[in-house]
């Protein structure tokens, strides 16, 4: 089929779960494509993209391949979060199984800038191990990534959460800060200063949403333990 812009339109599956995937769905629909976005179903009340939305796992690469065939998709676009590795691997396998072309639109990681004091580590475990005794570390991590730090009873942790935890956190010494990350580096810097933070711990997710804290750490010359994806 030809779009108004003269390009070829088709039926596209977007593997989503990111703001970028949501924006992409809108753009492709505006171009005349038939778009389905797939979400894992981790968020209770997700912001939904335009177009058709399906929610839940496919049952591995074979399940995804079967879905692509049954629904007759012409293309698949992987716009998932860069740390969501299994679904991206499944997408590569499903594309090979079906011949459906796969395009990867993964967010580029943040690059170290002059003034950044990053220590790059390959895993959460390595991040926990690298903190010096007595550190007052700000954990800018989702709640599912915190447990590995509990054993560091020689450190203090500042933990930011959007919603309060369902059960008390098991850290020997911690402070809970409720609220969303700010997009304003000044506000992030004020928060880090107010709590006497000595180290920022975060994942290299890329994108603009979480970058204010990185700028704040640069301004404060604060060491950052940066967990990289491979
Ligand atoms: P993952 O570890 O790569 O995937 C685990 C399983 O969840 C996959 O094997 C697949 O199940 C299912 N799944 C994941 N993404 C899916 C999608 N878009 N549509 C349908 N099924 C999906 O993924 P994850 O790290 O748990 O992330 C899950 C979702 O949250 C992704 O869509 C991602 O974009 C979004 N997200 C992740 C992060 C993060 O830090 N990991 C942050 C923000 C948003 P089956 O094998 O059964 O198909």
């Amino acid at each position: 089929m030809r779009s108004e812009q003269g390009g070829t339109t088709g039926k596209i599956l977007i593997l989503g779960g990111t703001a970028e995937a949501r924006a992409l769905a809108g753009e492709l629909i505006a171009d005349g494509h038939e778009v389905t976005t797939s979400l894992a179903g981790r968020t209770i009340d997700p912001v939904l993209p335009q177009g058709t939305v399906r929610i839940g796992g496919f049952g591995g690469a074979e399940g995804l391949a079967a879905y692509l065939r049954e629904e007759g998709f012409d293309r698949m676009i992987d716009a998932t979060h860069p740390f969501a590795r299994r679904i991206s691997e499944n997408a590569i396998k499903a594309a090979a199984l079906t011949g459906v072309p796969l395009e990867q639109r993964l967010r580029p990681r943040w690059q170290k800038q002059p003034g950044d004091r990053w220590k790059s580590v390959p895993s959460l475990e390595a991040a926990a191990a690298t903190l010096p005794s007595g550190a007052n570390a700000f954990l800018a991590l989702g709640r599912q990534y915190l447990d590995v730090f509990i054993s560091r009873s020689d450190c203090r942790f500042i933990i930011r959460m959007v919603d309060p935890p369902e059960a008390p956190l098991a850290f020997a010494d911690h402070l809970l800060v409720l609220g969303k990350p700010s997009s304003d580096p000044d506000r992030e810097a004020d928060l880090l200063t107010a709590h006497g933070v000595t180290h920022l711990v975060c994942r290299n997710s890329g994108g603009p949403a979480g970058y204010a804290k990185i700028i704040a750490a640069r301004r404060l010359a604060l060491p950052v333990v940066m967990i990289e994806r491979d």
Side-chain angles (χ1 to χ4, degrees), residues 6-7 30 55 62 79-80 82 94 127 129 144 205 210:
I55 297 180
E62 290 75 16
T80 56
Q144 66 272 43
S205 300

Side-chain angles (χ1 to χ4, degrees), residues 70-151:
E70 280 159 21
E71 300 289 328
F73 285 101
D74 302 305
R75 279 164 68 193
M76 166 167 57
I77 301 176
D78 178 5
T80 56
H81 188 275
F83 276 85
R85 269 180 284 176
R86 192 148 15 120
I87 187 69
S88 294
E89 286 164 13
N90 289 351
I92 292 168
K93 287 183 197 152
L97 287 169
T98 57
V100 172
L102 168 67
E103 192 185 325
Q104 286 184 321
R105 297 243 192 143
L106 302 186
R107 227 184 254 170
R109 67 189 71 197
W110 298 316
Q111 299 294 330
K112 197 173 172 185
Q113 302 298 317
D116 280 336
R117 294 180 62 201
W118 293 6
K119 170 149 190 191
S120 294
V121 294
S123 63
L124 285 165
E125 289 74 14
T130 201
L131 287 172
S133 191
N136 187 22
F138 189 96
L139 301 183
L141 301 165
R143 66 186 64 201
Q144 66 272 43
Y145 307 111
L146 299 176
D147 286 358
V148 72
F149 295 89
I150 290 172
S151 63

